């Protein structure tokens, strides 16, 4: 089955700097890669997603890149702000069971003022 | 416009008891998925139901069961609770069998289950 690894587990950046979170997946059949943001005590919220037919997608300060050959995908947050502090999860589909999303272990992002 | 709603928000049980968690999807959504999130980890897939039929099952023991009702709401049942069942249980809804289709998953706020 699919396995998703996420790095780093914690990340601290100065406000205004960029943050990058990296994930790898194992199943070459996976073709949908969402990113979720979870603030303390709250629900995971979808912030951006990418499908395997594109290599990059951008939404304001957030961008995601996908390298299908290397089975890597990354989240980039530019001009970080205090409200970006949260746990971020990458995820991938497992096409052995199309309804299932496999999540990474999460990255706790802290923005230093 | 209401999002995914779950009840109760918090629950305390003792080992061996059973528990029922409830979820109402976004209006118009026909699919409900259940995930278990242990503290410090990512959510793990338990079940998906679409149009009242089970469409997917994760690697969880038979103590875990679920069902979906004609109004598309869902229940997750866990029997013979163990200490390791303590977690945040998340429900997610989509209009179809996401992520296989182009729909997105939207999560509820979860039920925090503590087993003592």
């Amino acid at each position: 089955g699919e396995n998703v690894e996420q790095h780093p587990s914690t990340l601290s950046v100065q406000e205004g700097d960029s943050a990058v979170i990296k994930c790898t997946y194992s199943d070459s059949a996976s073709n949908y890669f969402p990113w979720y943001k979870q603030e303390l005590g709250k629900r995971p919220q979808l912030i951006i997603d990418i499908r395997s037919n594109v290599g990059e997608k951008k939404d304001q300060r957030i961008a995601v890149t996908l390298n299908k050959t290397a089975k890597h995908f990354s989240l980039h947050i530019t001009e970080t702000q205090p409200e970006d502090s949260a746990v971020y999860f990458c995820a991938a589909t497992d096409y052995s069971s199309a309804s299932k999303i496999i999540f990474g272990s999460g990255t706790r992002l802290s923005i230093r003022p | 416009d209401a999002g995914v709603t779950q009840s109760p928000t918090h629950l305390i049980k003792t080992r061996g008891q059973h528990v029922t968690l409830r979820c109402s999807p976004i209006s118009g959504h026909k699919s409900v998925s259940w995930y278990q999130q242990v503290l410090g980890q990512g959510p793990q897939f338990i079940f998906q139901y679409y149009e009242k039929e089970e469409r997917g099952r994760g690697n969880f023991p038979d103590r875990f069961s679920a069902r979906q009702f004609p109004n598309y709401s869902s229940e997750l049942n866990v029997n013979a609770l163990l200490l390791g069942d303590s977690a945040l249980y998340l429900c997610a809804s989509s209009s179809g069998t996401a992520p296989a289709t182009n729909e997105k998953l939207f999560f509820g706020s979860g039920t925090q289950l503590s087993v003592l």
Side-chain angles (χ1 to χ4, degrees), chain A:
Chain A
E2 176 66 279
N3 182 51
V4 177
E5 294 192 357
Q6 183 171 350
H7 301 279
S9 56
T10 60
L11 180 60
S12 178
V13 301
Q14 193 76 32
E15 182 178 351
D17 288 349
S18 296
V20 180
I21 301 171
K22 298 182 178 181
C23 292
T24 61
Y25 62 99
S26 61
D27 189 345
S28 56
S30 291
N31 72 352
Y32 176 65
F33 307 92
W35 286 85
Y36 286 85
K37 174 184 179 182
Q38 188 174 29
E39 297 177 53
L40 189 62
K42 296 191 175 180
R43 71 188 74 193
Q45 288 193 304
L46 179 69
I47 55 172
I48 196 168
D49 57 8
I50 191 168
R51 296 189 182 268
S52 59
N53 56 346
V54 299
E56 184 173 359
K57 184 177 178 180
K58 190 173 182 180
D59 183 3
Q60 299 181 355
R61 296 186 297 110
I62 293 173
V64 59
T65 59
L66 172 66
N67 183 330
K68 285 179 59 180
T69 303
K71 290 189 268 186
H72 291 173
F73 57 116
S74 300
L75 178 72
H76 305 252
I77 306 174
T78 59
E79 301 173 12
T80 53
Q81 300 170 4
E83 54 265 35
D84 295 330
S85 294
V87 178
Y88 290 81
F89 293 98
C90 62
T93 56
D94 178 350
Y95 264 52
S96 66
S97 174
S99 58
K100 181 192 302 187
I101 287 183
I102 305 300
F103 284 83
S105 53
T107 295
R108 182 173 298 280
L109 176 62
S110 300
I111 307 302
R112 301 192 305 272

Side-chain angles (χ1 to χ4, degrees), chain B residues 40-114:
Chain B
Q41 297 182 19
Q44 282 199 300
F45 174 77
I46 309 175
F47 287 110
Q48 186 196 37
Y49 276 77
Y50 176 71
E51 289 279 21
K52 295 164 283 183
E53 292 189 359
E54 183 183 300
R55 297 297 295 267
R57 174 185 284 257
N59 188 25
F60 280 79
D62 292 343
R63 300 184 295 109
F64 288 76
S65 64
R67 56 179 176 169
Q68 187 176 30
F69 299 99
N71 66 354
Y72 302 111
S73 66
S74 177
E75 285 183 352
L76 175 69
N77 295 284
V78 187
N79 294 324
L81 285 167
L82 303 174
L83 296 179
D85 295 331
S86 295
L88 179 67
Y89 288 84
L90 294 162
C91 173
S93 81
S94 61
S95 56
T97 53
T101 54
N102 283 321
E103 294 89 2
K104 303 176 189 298
L105 275 186
F106 296 92
F107 283 90
S109 297
T111 294
Q112 184 66 54
L113 172 65
S114 299

